[in-house]
Amino acid sequence: MDLKEKLARLGITGNLYKVYCAIMELGDTTVTEVATRANIARTTCADAITRLANEGLVQWQGRGRDRSVSALNPGVLLEHIAARRELIEDLLPELRSIYNRATGKPQIRFYEGAEGVKTVLWDSLRCKRGPLLATFSMSELEAVPGLDEITLYQKERLALGLSMRVIRSASKDVQHIWPNDKTRELRELRFTPPNITLSMTTLIYDNCVASISSKKENYGLIIESEEYANFQRAMYEVMWQSCIPATDADQH
């Protein structure tokens, strides 16, 4: 595979290839000189240089008639590839979601670390058909993503007018906050029986089931599947019926 074929695999083809090679050979040069070396029209050459500059492969210098162009160190190609890879990796979850929705396939999205936990938490506010069905492990949420983040989340939920049904374990509650309040805070709260402790947070919304681990494992997971979400929703209803309703005055 020669240089032309290798650069083509990076998207540097046609006039871009001609112009890039000409600039590499000429060093600090002018558009006219590059166009002559590449054997293309000057305006076409200028457009190609602009595209290469946007990709970070060459740079303009000076202004007006004194304007020139030069190639950057070829090492930027590695940065160029790394940046593209990072962008693609960032886009993949969303693109796969669109693809899987179109094909009817379930989707699993896995996110690591505190930022991943936040991503999973906030994704639940995409809910189009409320209420949100949730289990909250309060001591775990206090650690990651933290009560400040959860408070922001709750404010946004209320701004969206999205109601929530929540199951918590009294043994995991760390503060007397977020009580049963169906009127102002759109939250209906129940507690598990004393012999049952919830150590993970889950959110069921539309066709999604989101899970947030403890700080020890530190991850967030979203499974997008109509069948799975309906199954988890049915299981939630069974658990809800076995839980103890909280009163507005005393959440314990």
Side-chain angles (χ1 to χ4, degrees):
M1 185 182 298
D2 61 18
L3 177 63
K4 184 175 182 179
E5 292 174 325
K6 291 175 181 177
L7 287 175
R9 297 186 67 173
L10 298 178
I12 305 173
T13 62
N15 289 331
L16 288 181
Y17 169 75
K18 294 178 182 179
V19 170
Y20 184 54
C21 287
I23 296 172
M24 291 281 286
E25 294 166 358
L26 292 169
D28 191 8
T29 185
T30 65
V31 174
T32 300
E33 290 172 336
V34 175
T36 300
R37 175 64 68 91
N39 194 28
I40 60 176
R42 191 180 185 283
T43 53
T44 302
C45 180
D47 290 341
I49 292 173
T50 298
R51 288 180 59 187
L52 290 170
N54 290 337
E55 294 287 351
L57 299 176
V58 303
Q59 63 181 357
W60 291 104
Q61 295 174 318
R63 294 181 179 179
R65 294 182 179 180
D66 296 327
R67 197 180 195 194
S68 64
V69 64
S70 61
L72 294 171
N73 189 303
V76 299
L77 285 171
L78 290 176
E79 298 175 9
H80 180 66
I81 294 170
R84 281 193 172 184
R85 181 182 180 85
E86 184 177 345
L87 176 61
I88 291 170
E89 289 177 345
D90 186 53
L91 286 171
L92 272 179
E94 185 174 354
L95 293 175
R96 281 176 175 158
S97 177
I98 296 171
Y99 171 77
N100 288 333
R101 281 198 296 270
T103 58
K105 294 180 180 178
Q107 180 195 5
I108 300 175
R109 287 177 275 165
F110 180 79
Y111 302 89
E112 291 186 278
E115 289 303 314
V117 167
K118 291 179 184 179
T119 296
V120 171
L121 176 68
W122 286 89
D123 187 82
S124 66
L125 294 186
R126 295 191 301 113
C127 178
K128 298 294 190 297
R129 303 187 307 274
L132 276 171
L133 304 181
T135 65
F136 275 5
S137 179
M138 297 298 287
S139 61
E140 304 299 346
L141 288 173
E142 183 182 37
V144 178
L147 296 186
D148 288 344
E149 188 73 19
I150 295 294
T151 299
L152 291 175
Y153 168 85
Q154 298 286 17
K155 288 180 179 179
E156 182 63 21
R157 178 180 65 80
L158 291 177
L160 293 171
L162 184 58
S163 62
M164 170 182 273
R165 288 163 57 192
V166 187
I167 298 174
R168 305 204 310 244
S169 295
S171 61
K172 286 287 185 177
D173 270 19
V174 290
Q175 299 185 44
H176 293 282
I177 55 177
W178 306 329
N180 187 75
D181 188 341
K182 292 186 284 186
T183 304
R184 291 174 301 174
E185 297 192 18
L186 306 180
R187 181 192 303 107
E188 186 175 2
L189 173 64
R190 292 191 178 187
F191 287 97
T192 61
N195 63 324
I196 297 177
T197 300
L198 302 175
S199 58
M200 284 188 70
T201 290
T202 62
L203 294 146
I204 305 171
Y205 51 101
D206 300 336
N207 292 333
C208 295
V209 179
S211 300
I212 296 174
S213 75
S214 65
K215 186 177 181 179
K216 178 182 177 182
E217 297 192 358
N218 209 21
Y219 71 85
L221 178 71
I222 299 174
I223 299 177
E224 188 170 353
S225 162
E226 182 178 5
E227 289 184 5
Y228 185 71
N230 286 339
F231 173 76
Q232 290 297 323
R233 195 171 279 110
M235 296 293 289
Y236 186 93
E237 294 299 340
V238 172
M239 183 164 58
W240 180 262
Q241 295 304 318
S242 69
C243 288
I244 304 165
T247 65
D248 291 349
D250 182 7
Q251 69 182 69
H252 294 290

